[in-house]
Amino acid sequence: MQLLIRVLLVLLAFMLSPASAQHEPLATPHVEAVQTFRVGVLANHGVQKGKLRWQPMMEYLEQNVPGTQFEVVPVDFDEMSHQLLNHEIQFIVTNPGQYLNLSTNFPLSWLATMKSDLHNGATFAIGSTIIVRADSELYTLQDLEGKQLVASDPQALGGYQAAIGLFHRMGYTPENFFHSIRFLGFPLEPLVYQVRDGTVDAAITPFCTLEEMISDGLVSADDFRVIHPTQPKGYDCLVSTQLYPNWSFAAADSVSPAMTQQIAQALYDLPADHIAAKTAKTLGWTAPISQLKVIKLFKELQLKMPPPPLHHTMLKWMERNKEWGIALLLLFLVSTIYHLWLEYKFREKSEYLLETERQLKDKALQVERMQSAAILGEIGSGLAHELNQPIAAITQYSEGGMMSLNHQGKGESEMYELLAKVNAQSVRAGAVVHRIRGLLKRRTSAKEPLDMTHVVNNALVLFKREFTQQGIHLSLQTSGEPYQIMGDEVGMSQVLVNLLKNSLDAMSDMATSPDSEQKLIAVQLNFNPNQLSFSVIDNGPGLKGDASELMASFYTTKEQGLGLGLAICRDVVTQHDGKLSISNCNTSPLTTWSRGCVVSITIPV
């Protein structure tokens, strides 16, 4: 604005001097460079109020320090430190506690101390006032133990630090004394509102905050009471702590000494009745006063308070050493990524080696089983060949005996029935032997129309005596319309007999006392349109190993077992394009029994 006025005056003088315009060349006006300064002010009542309070002061400095322009920047404690670090502000107006904190990290020049517009221009005008509701049962500092408090900021001298110093001097430990302290930041008015509304028990407010809000009509004086109140002589407000020096005006090292001297002199010359002084709520500025009381308070707090958290220390170091901090952070990130990549590659190689080892073990087991199968094939072939003749002899002798009894007219005698059963079992044994020889030679079994109901009944008859001896309750459940399938009767009989024998063996060691649980075996036969399924369920101890291992050749859980029964059953079912599965009762949908084993076979029609 001043630059524009000067240019207009030069042009006007030129226009009013025609002679000079005719006989003398036009002279270029000399324009002084304008320095722009940004002043960070502590916005304890909000940004907008901060601008309104301090803008007239900036205009006063512009008028009294030629060639300057000042901009007011309302900030909080953290933002003030950030902008000083980035050289975004050249001056600060703040409390002496914040000034001392900043001066440990930034080179600042202390220019002036503000004289309060209250208390006859006192320079000691910062303290803490602890307020509660008027109807509160809290009257002393001791009463605040275990209560909830609010404050403005941990760096606020009047809004927090002075009160904490008071509690230390009274012998209390604030870190463990209160239930909690919440920091609401700026503006300060919500601190008082929180007490008024009963949200908290008490609030730590800067000196005269409550009186200013009462004067502005924001709250009523009858609603509040001050804890540990004192009113120093010549002061207008109640305070709970001792008083500390008022706000300071300080300059950063980027401002030249000549400029700081001019600004300091302008501050000292500010009249008490000037609009800038009235708006800023001051009677002017004076030379910096001693900060000894603040320094002693900080020393006391540092001795009695725990050390700051490690992350706070790291953040401060990062602020002072930004370049090194960024370099170390990048190095840490690269090292972390490289470590994760190495760990990933190591895990990948480990998994590959483990998988290779598992494959080698599987191959070795397959080779072992193939060798066992070859040996068994040789033994089985010889055994089947040797058994074939005695079985054939039994068949012929039984048939001869039956024929002899028939000729004697004893075809319905008990002896005849016994010989008939011997003959039937010898024929069945011969069929089993022939089928084993076929399996060992990998020949396909002959399939013929097969009635599974008949196969199941014949198998159950064979174990009727064992069921009675062990006290086993047998149930046969058939669903659907029975039909015939194409299959190997001997093979399916062998499967069913093997499964029933496994169930009998599993329950052989179970107690048979009257108080023990009853032994149960259920055979379910379901004739569905698309497939035939039958299951053998027992309430024995259940599986003792993995189902896939149990069906492998030469794997057994029995002391006298060879590990061939379930393997042969699986092969027979596979030859019928079916599926065999084994599970425990508590995981099978086919039964609600809490324990036992379920063997289920499905064969497509």
Side-chain angles (χ1 to χ4, degrees), residues 287-305:
I289 64 175
S290 172
Q291 303 293 316
L292 181 61
K293 293 181 69 175
V294 182
I295 295 173
K296 287 183 176 180
L297 172 65
F298 280 15
K299 286 184 177 180
E300 182 181 358
L301 294 180
Q302 289 175 357
L303 288 174
K304 295 188 177 181
M305 294 182 66

Side-chain angles (χ1 to χ4, degrees), residues 521-551:
I521 292 180
V523 179
Q524 297 177 353
L525 186 60
N526 301 318
F527 292 93
N528 299 317
N530 298 323
Q531 67 179 17
L532 169 68
S533 63
F534 63 91
S535 306
V536 178
I537 309 171
D538 64 71
N539 65 341
L543 298 179
K544 296 182 180 179
D546 186 74
S548 59
E549 293 180 347
L550 291 173
M551 289 187 287

Side-chain angles (χ1 to χ4, degrees), residues 62 153 172-173 177 200 236 256 315 328 399 444 466 550 602:
E62 291 175 358
D153 192 278
Y172 305 125
T173 306
F177 186 72
V200 295
D236 304 326
S256 66
L315 288 176
L328 290 176
E399 288 178 353
T444 303
E466 284 82 353
L550 291 173
T602 57

Side-chain angles (χ1 to χ4, degrees), residues 2 125 148 194 210 330 392 452 470 477 580:
Q2 291 182 351
Q148 295 180 336
Q194 292 264 327
L210 177 62
L330 290 175
M452 282 301 299
Q470 293 194 30
Q477 304 168 8
L580 184 145

Side-chain angles (χ1 to χ4, degrees), residues 53 58 95 108 302 453 482 594:
R53 178 181 179 183
M58 303 300 107
N95 65 60
L108 297 173
Q302 289 175 357
T453 304
S594 60

Side-chain angles (χ1 to χ4, degrees), residues 130 138-145 163 166-167 170 172 177-178 227-228 240:
I130 305 174
L138 307 176
Y139 291 93
T140 64
L141 297 178
Q142 177 63 41
D143 295 338
L144 295 175
E145 183 177 6
L166 171 64
F167 279 99
M170 299 297 291
Y172 305 125
F177 186 72
F178 306 113
I227 298 292
H228 197 259
S240 301

